[in-house]
Amino acid sequence: MIKIICVGKIKEKYLRDAIEEYKKRLSKYTKLEIIEVSDIDNQSIDIVLLKEKELIEKYIDVRDFVITLEIEGNMLSSEELAKKIDSIFNNNSNITFIIGGSYGLHQDIKNRSNYKLSFSKLTFPHQLFRVNLLEQIYRAFKINNNEAYHK
């Protein structure tokens, strides 16, 4: 099973539609759960990170292999991500991806992470990034199943 815990809600219909499309495509390969926690606003960065951490931690199981999305994380090609996901599923039944909010992730969440992943040194809106992550997870399953997919 793949779980994606993310801070914030998707507001734009076109992004919700894209997410639903990838959820449908991924259902052929794995169970997928997307958990949205509220983003905290109008407070100091430290308080925002702490409150978001508390919301995120409620959904992390001790058995989850946690992958945090961090600018400082490891950058992988699509093929390398596919191998990573395949390797993780050899030993774990659950992979949990965590996408932080505007200020990133609390250090405790980063410390809990089993693997830190970066898509780029660029900053992406978390709503758009969720679509990018789902597309790459879908691509990984296509690669791991030796199925054709556009390049």
Side-chain angles (χ1 to χ4, degrees), residues 73-85:
N74 301 297
M75 285 193 245
L76 303 174
S77 68
S78 294
E79 292 78 10
E80 290 168 332
L81 179 60
K83 286 179 188 170
K84 184 76 176 165
I85 287 173

Side-chain angles (χ1 to χ4, degrees), residues 107-129:
Q107 190 61 48
D108 289 352
I109 299 292
K110 291 179 179 186
N111 292 343
R112 168 60 180 89
S113 179
N114 299 101
Y115 190 80
K116 296 168 184 6
L117 178 64
S118 174
F119 275 30
S120 170
K121 291 194 182 296
L122 299 171
T123 301
F124 297 98
H126 70 270
Q127 295 182 5
L128 181 59
F129 185 77

Side-chain angles (χ1 to χ4, degrees), residues 4-148:
I4 300 173
I5 304 171
C6 26
V7 175
K9 307 262 186 247
I10 299 294
K11 297 173 183 86
E12 291 84 2
K13 183 184 181 317
Y14 72 96
L15 293 173
R16 286 194 311 268
D17 290 346
I19 288 165
E20 287 305 312
E21 177 62 27
Y22 282 110
K23 283 171 69 174
K24 183 175 81 176
R25 291 181 186 192
L26 279 163
S27 68
K28 174 181 174 182
Y29 305 103
T30 188
K31 184 177 177 200
L32 174 70
E33 181 180 11
I34 298 177
I35 299 162
E36 296 178 328
V37 300
S38 298
D39 52 347
I40 309 299
D41 202 7
N42 297 326
Q43 298 187 28
S44 75
I45 293 173
D46 290 339
I47 292 173
V48 167
L49 288 172
L50 181 64
K51 288 184 176 183
E52 289 176 352
K53 171 191 90 117
E54 291 167 354
L55 294 171
I56 291 168
E57 284 179 330
K58 292 178 186 177
Y59 298 100
I60 301 173
D61 187 280
V62 295
R63 296 166 294 180
D64 290 350
F65 187 97
V66 174
I67 298 176
T68 48
L69 284 299
E70 304 180 36
I71 288 177
E72 315 77 39
N74 301 297
M75 285 193 245
L76 303 174
S77 68
S78 294
E79 292 78 10
E80 290 168 332
L81 179 60
K83 286 179 188 170
K84 184 76 176 165
I85 287 173
D86 193 44
S87 168
I88 294 167
F89 275 134
N90 285 332
N91 300 310
N92 300 82
S93 57
N94 295 329
I95 300 175
T96 297
F97 290 89
I98 302 177
I99 304 171
S102 300
Y103 300 118
L105 293 166
H106 190 277
Q107 190 61 48
D108 289 352
I109 299 292
K110 291 179 179 186
N111 292 343
R112 168 60 180 89
S113 179
N114 299 101
Y115 190 80
K116 296 168 184 6
L117 178 64
S118 174
F119 275 30
S120 170
K121 291 194 182 296
L122 299 171
T123 301
F124 297 98
H126 70 270
Q127 295 182 5
L128 181 59
F129 185 77
R130 197 178 311 178
V131 176
N132 291 341
L133 175 61
L134 285 167
E135 191 281 331
Q136 285 299 307
I137 293 169
Y138 174 68
R139 184 180 296 270
F141 277 100
K142 296 291 274 184
I143 290 168
N144 288 337
N145 285 283
N146 297 313
E147 297 173 4

